[in-house]
Amino acid sequence: MKLGVYLNAQHPAGDDPARRFAETVEQARLIRSLGFDSMLQRLAAEVPGLEIGTNLVLLPLHNPVEIAEVGAFLDVLTGGRFLLGVGLGYRPEEFEIFGVPMAERVSRLAEGVEIIRRLWTEDKVTHRGRHWTFENVTIRPRPIQSPRPPILVGSQVPAGIARAARIADGWLVVPLPRVDEFAAQARAFTAARTAEGRTGGAQICRLLEVVCAPDEESAIRRAAPYLLDKYAAYFSWGLEGVTLDPGAPPEAQLRGLAANRFAIGSPAQVIEALLAQHAAGATHLTMRVSWPGMPQADVLAGIELLGRQVLPEVRRRTAV
Protein backbone atom coordinates (compact mmCIF):
# COMPACT_ATOMS: atom_id res chain seq x y z
CA MET A 1 0.00 0.00 0.00
CA LYS A 2 1.30 3.43 -0.94
CA LEU A 3 1.13 6.28 1.57
CA GLY A 4 0.99 9.87 0.39
CA VAL A 5 0.06 13.26 1.80
CA TYR A 6 -2.72 15.58 0.65
CA LEU A 7 -1.59 19.19 0.87
CA ASN A 8 -4.23 21.67 1.95
CA ALA A 9 -4.83 24.48 -0.53
CA GLN A 10 -7.68 26.14 1.37
CA HIS A 11 -7.08 28.83 3.98
CA PRO A 12 -9.17 31.27 6.03
CA ALA A 13 -10.14 34.55 4.45
CA GLY A 14 -7.54 37.22 5.15
CA ASP A 15 -4.57 34.85 5.31
CA ASP A 16 -1.44 35.94 3.46
CA PRO A 17 -1.36 33.69 0.35
CA ALA A 18 2.38 34.13 -0.15
CA ARG A 19 3.10 32.97 3.40
CA ARG A 20 0.73 30.04 3.06
CA PHE A 21 2.36 28.94 -0.19
CA ALA A 22 5.80 29.14 1.42
CA GLU A 23 4.47 26.93 4.22
CA THR A 24 3.16 24.44 1.64
CA VAL A 25 6.58 24.26 0.01
CA GLU A 26 8.13 23.64 3.43
CA GLN A 27 5.66 20.81 4.04
CA ALA A 28 6.41 19.33 0.60
CA ARG A 29 10.15 19.29 1.23
CA LEU A 30 9.66 17.55 4.58
CA ILE A 31 7.33 15.00 2.97
CA ARG A 32 9.94 14.13 0.37
CA SER A 33 12.77 13.93 2.90
CA LEU A 34 10.81 11.41 4.96
CA GLY A 35 10.18 9.08 2.01
CA PHE A 36 6.43 9.21 1.41
CA ASP A 37 5.06 7.93 -1.91
CA SER A 38 2.85 10.72 -3.25
CA MET A 39 1.34 14.15 -2.84
CA LEU A 40 -1.85 15.60 -4.27
CA GLN A 41 -0.54 19.00 -5.21
CA ARG A 42 1.30 20.74 -8.04
CA LEU A 43 4.71 21.03 -6.47
CA ALA A 44 6.60 18.65 -8.68
CA ALA A 45 9.76 20.74 -8.83
CA GLU A 46 10.12 20.51 -5.05
CA VAL A 47 9.51 16.78 -4.76
CA PRO A 48 11.24 14.86 -7.56
CA GLY A 49 10.39 11.17 -7.45
CA LEU A 50 7.00 11.49 -5.75
CA GLU A 51 3.73 10.79 -7.53
CA ILE A 52 1.52 13.84 -8.09
CA GLY A 53 -2.23 13.54 -8.40
CA THR A 54 -5.50 15.45 -8.36
CA ASN A 55 -8.20 14.74 -5.82
CA LEU A 56 -10.21 15.65 -7.63
CA VAL A 57 -11.02 17.58 -10.83
CA LEU A 58 -14.75 18.12 -11.35
CA LEU A 59 -14.56 17.00 -14.96
CA PRO A 60 -18.12 17.96 -16.01
CA LEU A 61 -17.18 21.62 -15.42
CA HIS A 62 -14.12 21.53 -17.72
CA ASN A 63 -13.19 20.99 -21.35
CA PRO A 64 -11.55 17.54 -21.44
CA VAL A 65 -9.10 18.62 -24.16
CA GLU A 66 -7.66 21.21 -21.77
CA ILE A 67 -7.49 18.69 -18.92
CA ALA A 68 -5.73 16.22 -21.22
CA GLU A 69 -3.13 18.83 -22.14
CA VAL A 70 -2.51 19.90 -18.54
CA GLY A 71 -2.34 16.27 -17.37
CA ALA A 72 0.12 15.34 -20.10
CA PHE A 73 2.35 18.28 -19.16
CA LEU A 74 2.27 17.28 -15.48
CA ASP A 75 3.19 13.72 -16.41
CA VAL A 76 6.22 15.02 -18.31
CA LEU A 77 7.08 17.38 -15.45
CA THR A 78 7.00 14.55 -12.90
CA GLY A 79 8.89 12.05 -15.04
CA GLY A 80 5.83 9.87 -15.59
CA ARG A 81 4.32 9.99 -12.09
CA PHE A 82 1.01 11.80 -12.62
CA LEU A 83 -2.40 10.42 -11.64
CA LEU A 84 -5.63 12.08 -12.77
CA GLY A 85 -8.51 11.92 -10.32
CA VAL A 86 -11.91 13.14 -11.54
CA GLY A 87 -15.41 13.32 -10.14
CA LEU A 88 -18.94 14.53 -10.77
CA GLY A 89 -19.42 17.35 -8.26
CA TYR A 90 -22.58 17.79 -6.19
CA ARG A 91 -23.06 21.54 -5.57
CA PRO A 92 -25.69 23.15 -7.81
CA GLU A 93 -24.11 26.60 -7.42
CA GLU A 94 -20.87 25.37 -9.00
CA PHE A 95 -22.68 24.12 -12.08
CA GLU A 96 -24.65 27.36 -12.27
CA ILE A 97 -21.45 29.44 -12.21
CA PHE A 98 -19.97 27.41 -15.07
CA GLY A 99 -23.21 27.37 -17.04
CA VAL A 100 -23.32 23.57 -17.12
CA PRO A 101 -26.65 21.78 -16.56
CA MET A 102 -26.26 19.57 -13.50
CA ALA A 103 -28.42 16.92 -15.19
CA GLU A 104 -25.60 16.43 -17.71
CA ARG A 105 -22.86 15.74 -15.20
CA VAL A 106 -22.80 11.93 -15.59
CA SER A 107 -22.71 11.99 -19.40
CA ARG A 108 -20.09 14.76 -19.38
CA LEU A 109 -17.89 12.78 -16.99
CA ALA A 110 -18.06 9.58 -19.06
CA GLU A 111 -17.49 11.39 -22.35
CA GLY A 112 -14.69 13.48 -20.88
CA VAL A 113 -12.82 10.40 -19.62
CA GLU A 114 -13.08 8.82 -23.06
CA ILE A 115 -11.70 11.96 -24.73
CA ILE A 116 -8.77 12.26 -22.33
CA ARG A 117 -7.88 8.60 -22.70
CA ARG A 118 -7.85 8.87 -26.50
CA LEU A 119 -5.88 12.12 -26.59
CA TRP A 120 -3.24 10.55 -24.34
CA THR A 121 -2.81 7.50 -26.59
CA GLU A 122 -3.79 8.50 -30.16
CA ASP A 123 -2.85 11.04 -32.81
CA LYS A 124 -5.41 12.97 -34.86
CA VAL A 125 -8.39 12.16 -32.68
CA THR A 126 -11.82 12.78 -34.15
CA HIS A 127 -14.70 12.80 -31.70
CA ARG A 128 -18.41 13.39 -32.23
CA GLY A 129 -20.24 13.12 -28.95
CA ARG A 130 -23.15 14.55 -27.05
CA HIS A 131 -21.16 17.41 -25.53
CA TRP A 132 -17.99 17.83 -27.59
CA THR A 133 -17.20 17.54 -31.28
CA PHE A 134 -13.77 17.98 -32.92
CA GLU A 135 -11.64 16.59 -35.73
CA ASN A 136 -7.99 15.58 -36.05
CA VAL A 137 -6.89 16.84 -32.65
CA THR A 138 -3.44 15.91 -31.32
CA ILE A 139 -1.93 17.13 -28.08
CA ARG A 140 1.77 17.72 -27.45
CA PRO A 141 3.60 16.83 -25.35
CA ARG A 142 2.10 13.41 -24.83
CA PRO A 143 2.39 11.73 -21.42
CA ILE A 144 5.52 9.77 -20.58
CA GLN A 145 3.69 6.90 -18.91
CA SER A 146 2.85 3.96 -21.13
CA PRO A 147 0.20 3.60 -22.25
CA ARG A 148 -0.90 6.71 -20.29
CA PRO A 149 -1.37 8.08 -16.76
CA PRO A 150 -4.01 6.32 -14.64
CA ILE A 151 -7.47 7.88 -14.55
CA LEU A 152 -9.32 7.42 -11.26
CA VAL A 153 -12.98 8.30 -10.76
CA GLY A 154 -14.34 9.33 -7.39
CA SER A 155 -17.77 8.35 -6.10
CA GLN A 156 -19.46 7.08 -2.95
CA VAL A 157 -22.81 5.79 -4.30
CA PRO A 158 -23.33 2.34 -5.87
CA ALA A 159 -24.00 3.61 -9.39
CA GLY A 160 -20.91 5.82 -9.27
CA ILE A 161 -18.69 3.03 -7.95
CA ALA A 162 -19.90 0.77 -10.77
CA ARG A 163 -19.18 3.58 -13.25
CA ALA A 164 -15.63 3.93 -11.93
CA ALA A 165 -15.15 0.18 -12.37
CA ARG A 166 -16.41 0.42 -15.94
CA ILE A 167 -14.63 3.50 -17.34
CA ALA A 168 -11.60 4.15 -15.12
CA ASP A 169 -8.35 2.61 -13.95
CA GLY A 170 -9.29 3.01 -10.31
CA TRP A 171 -11.61 4.48 -7.74
CA LEU A 172 -11.18 7.50 -5.47
CA VAL A 173 -12.82 7.26 -2.05
CA VAL A 174 -13.78 10.11 0.27
CA PRO A 175 -13.01 9.97 4.03
CA LEU A 176 -16.61 9.60 5.23
CA PRO A 177 -17.39 5.86 4.91
CA ARG A 178 -16.63 3.85 8.03
CA VAL A 179 -14.07 1.09 7.59
CA ASP A 180 -16.73 -1.61 7.23
CA GLU A 181 -18.68 0.49 4.73
CA PHE A 182 -15.53 1.13 2.73
CA ALA A 183 -14.70 -2.58 2.70
CA ALA A 184 -18.15 -3.40 1.28
CA GLN A 185 -17.76 -0.67 -1.35
CA ALA A 186 -14.32 -1.97 -2.31
CA ARG A 187 -15.75 -5.46 -2.80
CA ALA A 188 -18.51 -4.01 -4.97
CA PHE A 189 -15.95 -2.11 -7.06
CA THR A 190 -13.86 -5.23 -7.60
CA ALA A 191 -16.93 -7.31 -8.46
CA ALA A 192 -18.09 -4.70 -10.98
CA ARG A 193 -14.68 -4.72 -12.68
CA THR A 194 -14.75 -8.50 -12.86
CA ALA A 195 -18.24 -8.40 -14.39
CA GLU A 196 -16.87 -6.05 -17.05
CA GLY A 197 -14.05 -8.49 -17.78
CA ARG A 198 -11.48 -6.15 -16.25
CA THR A 199 -9.17 -7.86 -13.78
CA GLY A 200 -5.98 -6.86 -12.00
CA GLY A 201 -4.20 -3.56 -11.62
CA ALA A 202 -7.08 -1.43 -10.34
CA GLN A 203 -6.17 1.28 -7.84
CA ILE A 204 -8.32 2.08 -4.84
CA CYS A 205 -7.09 5.42 -3.58
CA ARG A 206 -8.63 6.80 -0.40
CA LEU A 207 -8.38 10.30 0.99
CA LEU A 208 -8.16 9.92 4.76
CA GLU A 209 -8.11 12.37 7.65
CA VAL A 210 -4.97 11.60 9.68
CA VAL A 211 -3.71 13.25 12.85
CA CYS A 212 -0.63 11.86 14.58
CA ALA A 213 0.65 13.19 17.91
CA PRO A 214 2.51 11.71 20.89
CA ASP A 215 -0.83 10.63 22.41
CA GLU A 216 -4.51 10.51 21.46
CA GLU A 217 -5.54 13.47 23.63
CA SER A 218 -2.96 15.71 21.99
CA ALA A 219 -4.03 14.59 18.52
CA ILE A 220 -7.71 15.29 19.19
CA ARG A 221 -6.97 18.65 20.79
CA ARG A 222 -4.63 19.66 17.96
CA ALA A 223 -7.06 18.85 15.14
CA ALA A 224 -10.55 19.49 16.54
CA PRO A 225 -10.99 23.23 15.82
CA TYR A 226 -9.75 22.99 12.23
CA LEU A 227 -11.07 19.62 11.11
CA LEU A 228 -14.54 20.32 12.52
CA ASP A 229 -14.68 23.69 10.73
CA LYS A 230 -13.91 21.89 7.47
CA TYR A 231 -16.74 19.43 7.99
CA ALA A 232 -19.11 22.20 9.02
CA ALA A 233 -18.45 23.67 5.56
CA TYR A 234 -19.11 20.29 3.93
CA PHE A 235 -22.41 19.98 5.77
CA SER A 236 -23.45 23.48 4.71
CA TRP A 237 -22.83 22.41 1.10
CA GLY A 238 -25.26 19.52 1.41
CA LEU A 239 -23.00 16.65 2.46
CA GLU A 240 -25.12 13.82 3.82
CA GLY A 241 -24.54 10.71 5.88
CA VAL A 242 -23.02 12.21 9.03
CA THR A 243 -24.40 14.35 11.82
CA LEU A 244 -22.64 16.14 14.68
CA ASP A 245 -23.98 17.12 18.08
CA PRO A 246 -23.49 20.91 18.17
CA GLY A 247 -23.98 20.91 21.93
CA ALA A 248 -21.07 18.58 22.59
CA PRO A 249 -17.51 19.86 23.20
CA PRO A 250 -15.37 19.96 20.05
CA GLU A 251 -13.18 17.09 21.22
CA ALA A 252 -16.25 14.89 21.77
CA GLN A 253 -17.63 15.84 18.36
CA LEU A 254 -14.38 14.85 16.68
CA ARG A 255 -14.19 11.54 18.53
CA GLY A 256 -17.67 10.68 17.31
CA LEU A 257 -16.92 11.71 13.73
CA ALA A 258 -13.56 9.92 13.64
CA ALA A 259 -14.66 6.59 15.15
CA ASN A 260 -14.02 3.79 12.63
CA ARG A 261 -13.38 6.43 9.95
CA PHE A 262 -10.22 8.45 10.45
CA ALA A 263 -6.74 7.74 11.79
CA ILE A 264 -6.29 9.98 14.83
CA GLY A 265 -4.08 9.32 17.83
CA SER A 266 -0.64 8.14 18.84
CA PRO A 267 1.72 6.57 16.27
CA ALA A 268 0.62 3.09 17.38
CA GLN A 269 -3.05 4.00 17.00
CA VAL A 270 -2.51 5.58 13.59
CA ILE A 271 -0.56 2.53 12.39
CA GLU A 272 -3.44 0.21 13.29
CA ALA A 273 -5.99 2.54 11.66
CA LEU A 274 -3.98 2.68 8.42
CA LEU A 275 -3.57 -1.09 8.38
CA ALA A 276 -7.35 -1.42 8.78
CA GLN A 277 -7.81 0.72 5.67
CA HIS A 278 -5.38 -1.52 3.80
CA ALA A 279 -7.23 -4.64 4.93
CA ALA A 280 -10.49 -3.06 3.74
CA GLY A 281 -9.09 -2.66 0.23
CA ALA A 282 -7.06 0.55 -0.04
CA THR A 283 -4.04 0.33 -2.33
CA HIS A 284 -3.06 3.99 -1.89
CA LEU A 285 -3.89 6.26 1.05
CA THR A 286 -3.52 10.01 0.65
CA MET A 287 -3.47 11.39 4.15
CA ARG A 288 -4.92 14.81 4.81
CA VAL A 289 -2.89 16.09 7.74
CA SER A 290 -3.94 19.75 7.85
CA TRP A 291 -7.09 21.83 7.55
CA PRO A 292 -7.72 25.56 6.99
CA GLY A 293 -6.16 27.67 9.73
CA MET A 294 -4.03 24.96 11.34
CA PRO A 295 -0.68 26.31 12.58
CA GLN A 296 2.34 25.34 10.49
CA ALA A 297 4.23 24.01 13.53
CA ASP A 298 1.45 21.49 14.21
CA VAL A 299 1.31 20.42 10.55
CA LEU A 300 5.07 19.83 10.38
CA ALA A 301 5.11 17.99 13.71
CA GLY A 302 2.41 15.62 12.49
CA ILE A 303 4.19 14.94 9.20
CA GLU A 304 7.47 14.32 11.03
CA LEU A 305 5.89 11.80 13.38
CA LEU A 306 4.13 10.01 10.51
CA GLY A 307 7.31 9.80 8.50
CA ARG A 308 9.57 8.57 11.28
CA GLN A 309 7.32 6.29 13.34
CA VAL A 310 4.29 5.35 11.21
CA LEU A 311 5.45 5.04 7.60
CA PRO A 312 8.23 2.46 8.18
CA GLU A 313 6.01 0.19 10.26
CA VAL A 314 3.06 0.33 7.86
CA ARG A 315 5.36 -0.47 4.97
CA ARG A 316 6.89 -3.36 6.88
CA ARG A 317 3.50 -4.87 7.74
CA THR A 318 1.99 -4.42 4.27
CA ALA A 319 5.00 -5.65 2.32
CA VAL A 320 4.33 -8.55 -0.03
Side-chain angles (χ1 to χ4, degrees):
M1 179 175 67
K2 294 182 178 180
L3 290 175
V5 177
Y6 178 105
L7 292 179
N8 174 48
Q10 298 174 326
H11 303 289
D15 272 13
D16 177 0
R19 177 176 64 85
R20 286 298 189 184
F21 181 72
E23 290 179 351
T24 301
V25 171
E26 184 180 18
Q27 294 168 26
R29 289 171 176 164
L30 179 60
I31 290 163
R32 179 175 184 267
S33 73
L34 292 170
F36 287 93
D37 296 301
S38 68
M39 295 167 41
L40 297 185
Q41 186 58 276
R42 295 181 184 177
L43 288 165
E46 298 291 342
V47 288
L50 270 69
E51 292 182 348
I52 305 289
T54 58
N55 194 358
L56 43 69
V57 174
L58 301 183
L59 190 55
L61 303 181
H62 297 276
N63 187 313
V65 177
E66 179 185 14
I67 299 301
E69 289 184 329
V70 172
F73 177 76
L74 285 171
D75 197 56
V76 172
L77 191 67
T78 59
R81 295 176 178 269
F82 175 67
L83 302 89
L84 176 63
V86 299
L88 286 177
Y90 67 95
R91 298 181 65 193
E93 55 267 43
E94 292 179 337
F95 285 82
E96 183 178 351
I97 289 171
F98 281 85
V100 174
M102 197 165 178
E104 296 179 357
R105 61 182 183 155
V106 172
S107 58
R108 284 178 175 269
L109 174 72
E111 188 175 338
V113 168
E114 178 189 357
I115 289 169
I116 294 168
R117 181 185 294 113
R118 293 190 64 198
L119 288 171
W120 279 352
T121 57
E122 301 175 25
D123 285 325
K124 297 183 178 179
V125 174
T126 293
H127 176 84
R128 294 181 177 87
R130 176 179 173 184
H131 304 291
W132 293 279
T133 298
F134 51 83
E135 293 188 6
N136 296 324
V137 172
T138 299
I139 65 167
R140 288 290 186 270
R142 289 268 282 276
I144 291 177
Q145 291 185 71
S146 179
R148 55 174 173 76
I151 302 174
L152 283 66
V153 169
S155 185
Q156 56 184 322
V157 299
I161 294 170
R163 185 182 309 114
R166 187 172 60 254
I167 70 172
D169 304 303
W171 168 45
L172 288 173
V173 193
V174 297
L176 273 182
R178 295 189 301 269
V179 175
D180 58 324
E181 295 171 332
F182 167 49
Q185 292 174 334
R187 290 192 296 270
F189 172 76
T190 301
R193 280 183 62 87
T194 301
E196 292 286 333
R198 310 180 70 199
T199 57
Q203 299 190 44
I204 298 178
C205 182
R206 185 169 196 190
L207 174 63
L208 191 68
E209 315 291 6
V210 177
V211 188
C212 192
D215 55 78
E216 183 180 6
E217 290 297 327
S218 298
I220 292 286
R221 192 165 53 249
R222 175 184 293 173
Y226 312 104
L227 194 154
L228 290 175
D229 276 354
K230 181 63 177 174
Y231 277 81
Y234 284 150
F235 299 147
S236 72
W237 298 339
L239 184 68
E240 299 177 349
V242 176
T243 57
L244 295 176
D245 179 5
E251 290 80 3
Q253 291 185 49
L254 180 54
R255 288 182 188 279
L257 179 62
N260 297 317
R261 282 193 179 93
F262 307 157
I264 299 181
S266 67
Q269 290 172 307
V270 170
I271 287 168
E272 294 304 321
L274 298 183
L275 291 172
Q277 298 291 336
H278 175 62
T283 65
H284 192 152
L285 289 177
T286 52
M287 301 179 288
R288 180 156 55 184
V289 299
S290 66
W291 301 268
M294 193 170 187
Q296 175 76 341
D298 288 346
V299 178
L300 296 177
I303 293 171
E304 184 91 27
L305 207 52
L306 284 170
R308 299 199 182 281
Q309 297 192 31
V310 174
L311 180 62
E313 181 64 11
V314 171
R315 281 186 173 156
R316 185 186 71 80
R317 293 172 64 178
T318 60
V320 293

